[in-house]
């Protein structure tokens, strides 16, 4: 029986280049994401995906943030990953069972009018911003590690 509970997706707002999307897609495949997405892409199609993740994880494209919001799963919070004054440290963040992680573009980040519409905002420790694919990989790894650490207690409460 599959013990997985919940789901998550990860994507980039106005991503600048396809290499970062390809790397994020590969990491998403390795770290058990259910889907990836882009909002308002600015690059030509090409991919650095050596694991053929496209065979296992769907990629969705949305023209605008409103289009994205109109198509997300019911009751699934959006968590922005951004350097921001209201951001919670990823170290302390408790990942929801189901969640969509939104990463900012390599050169502009997530605009404030989008950021304020996200339920959560988390920040990865460090002085400077990370490459978008690296940031996404760190968030997914953190999610996986925290779920594995909590796994024993969650298994005991399967009926809840």
């Amino acid at each position: 029986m599959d013990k997985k509970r919940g789901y998550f997706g990860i994507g980039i707002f106005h991503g600048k280049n396809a290499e970062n999307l390809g790397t994020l897609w590969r990491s998403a495949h390795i770290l058990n994401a259910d889907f990836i997405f882009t909002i308002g892409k600015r690059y030509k199609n090409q991919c650095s995906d050596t694991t053929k993740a496209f065979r296992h994880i769907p990629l969705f494209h949305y023209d605008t943030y409103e289009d994205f919001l109109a198509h997300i799963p019911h009751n699934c919070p959006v968590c922005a990953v951004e350097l921001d004054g209201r951001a919670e440290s990823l170290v302390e963040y408790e990942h929801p069972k189901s969640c969509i992680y939104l990463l900012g573009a390599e050169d502009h980040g997530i605009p404030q009018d989008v950021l304020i519409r996200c339920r959560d905002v988390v920040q990865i420790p460090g002085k400077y911003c990370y490459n978008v694919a690296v940031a996404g990989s760190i968030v997914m790894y953190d999610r996986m590690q925290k779920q594995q650490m909590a796994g024993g207690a969650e298994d005991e409460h399967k009926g809840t």
Side-chain angles (χ1 to χ4, degrees), residues 5 7-8 12 14 28 30-31 39 41 43 58 63 65 68 77 82 85 88 99 102 112 121 123 126 128-129 149:
R5 306 215 14 125
Y7 57 87
F8 77 97
I12 305 171
H14 286 262
I30 293 166
L31 296 169
I39 301 172
K41 69 179 187 169
Y43 54 83
D63 291 330
Y65 190 67
F68 163 72
E82 187 63 82
E88 179 179 348
C99 187
L102 179 62
Q112 283 298 314
V121 181
Q123 182 171 318
Y128 306 104
C129 62
M149 288 172 31

Side-chain angles (χ1 to χ4, degrees), residues 5 153-160:
R5 306 215 14 125
E154 189 172 304
D155 288 344
E156 292 175 16
H157 305 292
K158 275 188 95 148
T160 58

